[in-house]
Amino acid sequence: MAEGHAVHGMAARVRQLVGQTGRSSGPVTEVFDPAVVDGSAVAGAEAHGKHLLVHLGESRWSGHFHLGMHGRVSVRRHRRALGEDGLPRTDPPVPEGLAWRFLTGAFLLEVTRPTVCELLDAEGLAALHARLGPDPLRDDADPEVAVSRLHRSRRALGVLLLDQGVVSGIGNVYRAELLWRARIDPHSPGRAVPPEALQTLWQDAIDLMTVGLGAGWIVTDPGQLTDARDLLTRGEPVPRWPKRYAVYLRRGRPCPRCGETVRAERMGLQTAYWCPGCQVLHS
Ligand SMILES: [Zn+2]
C-alpha cells in the first residue's frame, strides 16, 4: 500500500495539470459521475494521508481517491491531434480497472482500481479533513495535535501510528523504522511515552517522509538518508536500490544497533517489526 509520501508525490504530478481544462470520462457509480466535472479545469491537487484530492475549478467538485492495495494514479504527457476545442480528437485505449480519466490537451490523467472514487463538495471535503489526523507532510499539520492525540491514548503506539484518524500518512514501513529510530517498543501505550519523545518521533516522521517524497521511496537508513539529502539538494535522483531497513521485514535477523534478534507480530492490520533489545517498553 502506498504510504503518505507516495500519495503526496501523486498530488505533485497531478498539479502539472493545474489550469488545464479536460474531458472527464469513466464508469458512472452512485458516488461518481465523470460528466459532472467534464470541461472543468484542474484547480489544484493535494494529499491528506493516503487520500488524494483533485480539485476541479468551475464544477466546485473535488475528486477523492484512495488507492488501497492495488490502485494506481498515472499522469502522462501525450501527443495527439487536437480538435477545435483544444482537446485530443481521439481517446486512448481504456486500461483495465479504469475509474476516472481526465484528458487535457497535454496530459492524460488516469486513476485505476481505487478503493474510493467519489466526488466531494466543500462540505464533503471538510468532513474528510476532519476525520483524518494530522499528516506530517502537510503544512497545516499541528505538531501539538499529533502529540496530544498519541499521548492521551491507552492504545499501543504501534497501533496508533497506523490509525489514520489519529495521525495520517504513516504506513507499515515508516511505523517500524520510526519506532526503531526512537528506541520505543511498539507495544508501549501512547500515554506512557513521554511527550518529548513523541515530539521527536513526529519531527522524525516529517524529516523522513520529506526525504521519501523527494526520493520516491522510503529511505530510513542513516547512511542512505545522508546520501539522499545530498543528492536531493543537488537536484539529482536518488538510487532506488539497495533499500536498507533496520527492522522492517527483518524478522529473526540481528538488530543493526544492538545485535538482538528482530521480532515480528501482527499489530493493527499489519505486521509490526521491532527489536526487543534496544526499543524500550514504556508502561
Ligand atoms: Zn536493537
Side-chain angles (χ1 to χ4, degrees):
M1 182 185 286
E3 300 200 21
H5 71 292
V7 185
H8 280 270
M10 290 169 201
R13 289 195 290 282
V14 173
R15 284 197 287 271
Q16 295 176 98
L17 279 71
V18 166
Q20 298 174 32
T21 53
R23 274 213 306 269
S24 168
S25 60
V28 178
T29 69
E30 279 181 13
V31 289
F32 190 79
D33 181 353
V36 170
V37 294
D38 189 44
S40 294
V42 174
E46 61 177 317
H48 191 151
K50 300 171 185 180
H51 298 253
L52 174 67
L53 295 162
V54 181
H55 306 301
L56 294 145
E58 288 119 68
S59 73
R60 299 169 193 276
W61 291 93
S62 298
H64 168 216
F65 309 97
H66 191 290
L67 300 178
M69 294 298 281
H70 307 292
R72 189 164 176 266
V73 172
S74 108
V75 179
R76 299 196 300 275
R77 282 188 179 277
H78 67 90
R79 289 172 185 277
R80 279 176 181 265
L82 303 182
E84 283 181 7
D85 58 0
L87 298 177
R89 279 200 292 246
T90 55
D91 279 345
V94 173
E96 217 180 304
L98 180 77
W100 185 47
R101 164 180 283 170
F102 196 77
L103 185 66
T104 75
F107 284 96
L108 171 62
L109 161 64
E110 288 176 334
V111 181
T112 47
R113 300 182 191 284
T115 53
V116 174
C117 172
E118 62 178 355
L119 290 173
L120 297 178
D121 57 12
E123 200 178 323
L125 271 183
L128 176 72
H129 287 305
R131 79 174 161 84
L132 292 171
D135 172 342
L137 286 178
R138 285 180 67 91
D139 293 339
D140 60 7
D142 185 339
E144 282 181 28
V145 171
V147 168
S148 77
R149 283 185 176 190
L150 294 169
H151 189 59
R152 75 180 176 214
S153 176
R154 291 166 197 268
R155 289 191 292 156
L157 193 53
V159 173
L160 293 170
L161 289 177
L162 288 196
D163 183 337
Q164 303 297 301
V166 176
V167 292
S168 63
I170 294 173
N172 205 26
V173 187
Y174 279 123
R175 166 176 73 172
E177 298 295 307
L178 284 168
L179 288 172
W180 181 82
R181 289 164 61 85
R183 298 177 184 251
I184 300 171
D185 185 306
H187 299 88
S188 309
R191 62 190 296 178
V193 181
E196 305 74 46
L198 294 172
Q199 273 157 20
T200 305
L201 179 82
W202 180 256
Q203 185 57 49
D204 200 33
I206 295 173
D207 294 346
L208 259 52
M209 291 175 77
T210 301
V211 173
L213 174 61
W217 61 279
I218 298 173
V219 186
T220 63
D221 174 79
Q224 289 191 319
L225 273 173
T226 304
D227 293 346
R229 285 195 182 101
D230 285 350
L231 289 165
L232 291 172
T233 306
R234 297 204 298 268
E236 293 174 27
V238 178
R240 289 178 169 262
W241 194 260
K243 293 183 168 122
R244 285 197 205 102
Y245 297 114
V247 288
Y248 177 68
L249 291 184
R250 294 193 72 245
R251 180 205 307 252
R253 300 179 62 192
C255 166
R257 189 161 53 204
C258 75
E260 187 67 63
T261 304
V262 172
R263 292 177 64 181
E265 180 186 295
R266 189 90 167 172
M267 198 172 197
L269 292 174
Q270 290 174 288
T271 301
Y273 300 87
W274 80 102
C275 170
C278 59
Q279 290 181 245
V280 176
L281 179 62
H282 299 262
S283 57

